[in-house]
Amino acid sequence: ALIAQLILCLAAGCASHTVKKVDATTAIQAQHDIPEHQLLDVGIVVFDPGIPADEKEREKEGVYPQVREAESRYIPFTLKETLQNTAQWGAVRVIPTETSSVDVLVKGEIIASDGETLAIAVEIEDASGREWLEKRYTHSAGKYSYSEDVPVEDMDPFQDLYDTIANDMLAARRQLSSDDIQDLRTISELKFAGELSPYAFEEYLGENDQGDFEIKRLPARNDPMLKRVRAIRQREYLFIDTLDAHYAGFYRGMQGPYQDWRELSYDETVALKEIKGSALKRMLIGAASVIGGIGLAAGGESGASGTVGNIMVLGGAAVLASGVDKYSQSQIHADALEELGASFEAEAKPRVVELENKTVTLTGSVEAQFKKWRRLLKKIYATETGFAIGHDARGGPRQTQDL
């Protein structure tokens, strides 16, 4: 009787269904112009693509390295656009690696991305080292997200996720007073100055009991070395803006093929789940029928019971075979996903820009280019101040740090 109930339940579709809730989160917009001295600059570091080192693990999770590498640049820029459009922040830039030039630093890692679901882990801290939040964000897109009625340039399928992050960041910033915000702006400036000339600026910052930076005292407003630091910092901003413009071009060029990939990936992912679910259902029905039929055929007291049992065995075997065949079809969809990932690699190649009379390709090596630029800034500072690299403002030795 229990086996019969199982068969009837499975045949009737007694399976759990996931009901997706359509979220309506929107990023909170500034209702008035915020004074410049109350705006915090934000740097969003290119995300960790979250690619498993083991190839089998990548296949299991459906991770395509060429897609993830592109997403590690695309997702931060989408977040940058979201934050910038709220008018709640100062300059918002995508940066290749961490820098002390910003007031608020955003770091992230891609956990899952397949067109249907996007999950990212985000860490945000300010210039003082104080953590604003550390959270995992997940959002599922619906089929309508890929409708032709929704232009890709107008709405990202996962815009709700970006809006939620923007609102969480705003909530954290609202915990700060006007003095706190001004202090953060000053701390980021002094940290940058300290990296250029540690001994000249080390006396201005200290650490509190929590290990966060705090202002011990301020340099004079007309301090000539601070003026030079500010000029050097503006050069860094120009460099970062150049990189940011390149990310923007990469983002715009990627939108079309990436949207196509996500839409096809969405269809394949959903189909894959449905086929696997259908295959499992068929195999369970077939297995239950075979087991029940064997039981009836072996233990039945009448010929009718034996006949019914044999029919159940034969029918169950057929259903089981159908389930196995259905399951094998899932591999076809998995292969299609892999082909989509490979074709995407050709569509979303980085571009080349001319920078500082050098050709810079925006790939994984851009971080090294950024480090070289920061070392160049240090040389520029040393040249302008007349101090040799490796010596502080007083002429004493100091440790050299890569910027």
Side-chain angles (χ1 to χ4, degrees), residues 14-280:
C14 297
S16 60
H17 297 277
T18 301
V19 179
K20 293 182 180 178
K21 178 183 175 182
V22 178
D23 299 310
T25 302
T26 55
I28 300 171
Q29 306 293 311
Q31 299 302 309
H32 55 80
D33 290 338
I34 301 175
E36 185 177 353
H37 68 277
Q38 286 294 297
L39 290 172
L40 294 174
D41 291 342
V42 180
I44 306 175
V45 184
V46 170
F47 279 16
D48 180 339
I51 302 173
D54 183 69
E55 185 176 352
K56 291 183 178 180
E57 189 66 22
R58 292 199 298 268
E59 292 179 358
K60 179 181 177 181
E61 296 181 15
V63 175
Y64 305 98
Q66 60 272 25
V67 176
R68 281 291 182 88
E69 289 291 350
E71 288 179 313
S72 69
R73 301 172 180 86
Y74 186 91
I75 292 173
F77 196 88
T78 308
L79 178 58
K80 165 236 167 79
E81 293 277 276
T82 301
L83 293 175
Q84 196 165 260
N85 291 337
T86 65
Q88 301 277 12
W89 307 91
V92 183
R93 302 175 173 96
V94 176
I95 53 180
T97 187
E98 296 183 35
T99 174
S100 60
S101 298
V102 297
D103 305 317
V104 180
L105 190 70
V106 180
K107 296 181 289 185
E109 179 183 3
I110 302 172
I111 305 300
S113 178
D114 59 14
E116 182 189 25
T117 301
L118 175 63
I120 58 177
V122 175
E123 294 180 37
I124 302 175
E125 65 178 32
D126 59 36
S128 73
R130 182 171 50 245
E131 183 179 274
W132 281 24
L133 64 87
E134 183 176 354
K135 187 175 178 180
R136 176 169 172 163
Y137 294 87
T138 304
H139 181 67
S140 295
K143 181 61 180 176
Y144 177 73
S145 301
Y146 300 103
S147 169
E148 293 181 357
D149 296 331
V150 183
V152 61
E153 64 272 13
D154 293 342
M155 180 62 71
D156 188 280
F158 303 99
Q159 188 58 49
D160 179 86
L161 180 146
Y162 301 108
D163 289 342
T164 301
I165 296 174
N167 290 344
D168 286 351
M169 285 184 64
L170 179 61
R173 195 204 70 191
R174 285 177 170 173
Q175 300 297 315
L176 303 176
S177 66
S178 296
D179 289 342
D180 290 335
I181 290 175
Q182 290 193 27
D183 284 348
L184 280 180
R185 288 166 58 92
T186 301
I187 288 173
S188 65
E189 180 178 72
L190 292 175
K191 282 177 67 178
F192 182 79
E195 290 179 344
L196 284 178
S197 184
Y199 283 84
F201 292 95
E202 65 180 354
E203 59 186 318
Y204 298 113
L205 288 179
E207 293 185 2
N208 58 24
D209 294 338
Q210 288 74 43
D212 301 329
F213 286 100
E214 62 180 6
I215 301 170
K216 293 167 62 177
R217 71 187 191 88
L218 295 172
R221 291 185 179 181
N222 60 349
D223 187 315
M225 296 191 68
L226 185 59
K227 287 183 178 180
R228 293 189 182 95
V229 165
R230 287 171 175 165
I232 295 291
R233 196 180 187 199
Q234 286 304 313
R235 296 186 192 184
E236 165 136 315
Y237 286 150
L238 289 175
F239 182 89
I240 293 177
D241 285 340
T242 302
L243 292 181
D244 194 68
H246 185 56
Y247 284 119
F250 181 78
Y251 171 84
R252 288 191 295 270
M254 181 174 163
Q255 275 187 314
Y258 184 48
Q259 183 75 347
D260 291 341
W261 183 86
R262 285 197 293 192
E263 180 178 3
L264 291 171
S265 180
Y266 174 90
D267 293 338
E268 294 295 339
T269 300
V270 171
L272 186 62
K273 290 179 180 178
E274 290 178 350
I275 285 179
K276 284 186 175 180
S278 174
L280 178 61

